[in-house]
Amino acid sequence: MSGLSETERAGFTKILNLMTNSDLLSLSDTVTNKMIVVENMAEATETILSFTKNAEELLRRKKVHRDVIFKYLAKEGVAMPPSSEKHQLVRRTLELWASVKAADGQSIQGESDQSRLQQTTEASSDSTDMSAGVGFDPLVLGQQFCQWFFQLLNSQNLSLGQPPQDWGPHHFWPDVKLRLLSRAGSEQMEEFLGAELVSLRLLALTREERLLFSPNLEPHGLRALASPHGLVLVAVAGTIHRDAACLGIFELIFGLIRSPLENNSWKIKFVNLKIRGQDALGGTEVTAPALSYNSSELQLLCS
């Protein structure tokens, strides 16, 4: 009988799916001391999960490569510096699983991230006037929103080999505006208006350009504040990757407003995205970028 919790099993299933077939078969041999011959990858996965007594021990095995764990965390919306060593990635994965287990027995597969996001924000504030909502914490909303958003956007990157989640214009207000400022060599400014165009332009970043966004959800990489009129601003910094390469950093500001017609779920009113390529950074270290916006600059956007 496996010693893994449901959360750990679900996480390991995703990690094992990212491994090469030869590594997976070799891992199955190691875990079972070659006592069980498996016929296919599905059997190998099931055998590894059944014979593993301890999550940390399995994560530390040689065949579970550092890059596989890094990719798994990125898919789960967990930002790690590209230079992280394997033991740091292992520790962060175990923390992630422990936090899911602790989350009030919430089922890991059961509900969609969107409904989880909705419930947390509804729990934070029953009134639509968020500034008056007792105990409403914009930062909690900001963290949950960023985890949901980047997991959704990154899933559209087909090089990750995972099924794309439900991306589309329905996550945005009809009059949403996107400002995209990119500095890689020369400076380029693009503006898009309307849910359809904004949704397609952001989708192109991950699907066509194969970018992967890794947000820094630590305190210096994330800020959030609420205006008295119901607008919540979430600003986040992070790194941008393609395959194994770190291409640069990004800063993203979302304006979020509840939609009373759709169960009070949050929808995106505007997006300001700044991207700086490595060459525009002048060789500075980009492991966990901090936001350059301060609170007063964000206040101006609120007004």
Side-chain angles (χ1 to χ4, degrees):
M1 180 57 198
S2 164
L4 300 175
S5 70
E6 277 309 304
T7 303
E8 290 165 346
R9 275 185 77 93
F12 271 125
T13 303
K14 291 180 182 177
I15 288 174
L16 297 175
N17 282 339
L18 294 170
M19 289 171 58
T20 63
N21 291 355
S22 59
D23 279 350
L24 194 63
L25 293 171
S26 166
L27 184 61
S28 175
D29 282 347
T30 308
V31 170
T32 63
N33 282 332
K34 295 194 175 169
M35 290 195 301
I36 292 183
V37 178
V38 295
E39 299 293 324
N40 53 43
M41 298 310 128
E43 270 185 32
T45 300
E46 193 43 53
T47 303
I48 292 165
L49 294 177
S50 303
F51 276 76
T52 295
K53 298 283 178 281
N54 172 305
E56 184 172 357
E57 183 189 311
L58 182 55
L59 284 170
R60 289 187 182 280
R61 291 210 182 262
K62 264 204 191 75
K63 290 294 175 189
V64 184
H65 297 301
R66 175 202 164 282
D67 294 356
V68 167
I69 305 176
F70 184 82
K71 206 179 234 189
Y72 164 75
L73 287 171
K75 284 185 177 188
E76 296 299 308
V78 177
M80 289 297 285
S83 57
S84 301
E85 291 179 18
K86 183 176 172 182
H87 68 90
Q88 295 168 312
L89 298 173
V90 168
R91 194 173 63 232
R92 188 65 190 90
T93 305
L94 293 170
E95 281 169 11
L96 173 69
W97 292 344
S99 70
V100 174
K101 270 194 292 192
D104 214 356
Q106 223 174 29
S107 120
I108 186 168
Q109 289 110 340
E111 41 198 335
S112 72
D113 288 319
Q114 175 68 45
S115 65
R116 277 227 301 273
L117 180 75
Q118 203 173 305
Q119 285 170 359
T120 17
T121 53
E122 281 165 7
S124 313
S125 157
D126 293 327
S127 83
T128 27
D129 175 9
M130 294 170 309
S131 53
V134 183
F136 172 77
D137 184 349
L139 198 58
V140 172
L141 167 64
Q143 280 183 312
Q144 278 156 348
F145 174 79
C146 285
Q147 276 183 317
W148 167 80
F149 179 85
F150 288 106
Q151 198 175 343
L152 178 67
L153 186 60
N154 284 336
S155 78
Q156 313 303 317
N157 180 333
L158 301 177
S159 66
L160 282 182
Q162 73 181 86
Q165 294 170 25
D166 171 36
W167 177 266
H170 52 287
H171 297 304
F172 302 87
W173 284 91
D175 60 349
V176 61
K177 187 173 187 180
L178 165 66
R179 295 183 63 188
L180 176 56
L181 178 68
S182 50
R183 284 195 207 125
S186 60
E187 192 167 296
Q188 254 184 315
M189 174 70 161
E190 302 173 64
E191 288 202 350
F192 300 86
L193 192 61
E196 190 67 41
L197 282 177
V198 168
S199 157
L200 285 171
R201 182 63 187 99
L202 289 171
L203 176 64
L205 293 172
T206 47
R207 184 160 291 175
E208 273 78 57
E209 298 174 41
R210 299 204 341 276
L211 300 178
L212 201 62
F213 289 82
S214 180
N216 175 16
L217 302 183
E218 297 301 315
H220 61 286
L222 179 73
R223 284 207 180 89
L225 47 98
S227 82
H229 322 295
L231 173 72
V232 172
L233 281 183
V234 177
V236 62
T239 46
I240 298 182
H241 309 262
R242 185 182 289 127
D243 302 324
C246 177
L247 302 183
I249 63 176
F250 71 88
E251 287 189 88
L252 219 168
I253 301 180
F254 298 99
L256 306 178
I257 299 180
R258 281 181 189 279
S259 172
L261 299 175
E262 294 170 67
N263 301 329
N264 261 349
S265 61
W266 295 95
K267 294 180 80 162
I268 301 167
K269 182 74 173 170
F270 67 79
V271 185
N272 290 355
L273 174 57
K274 275 202 312 198
I275 293 177
R276 284 183 294 163
Q278 285 279 29
D279 46 356
L281 294 172
T284 46
E285 185 55 51
V286 295
T287 47
L291 274 172
S292 63
Y293 296 98
N294 60 32
S295 294
S296 54
E297 288 174 292
L298 291 179
Q299 292 280 8
L300 285 174
L301 283 168
C302 259
S303 54

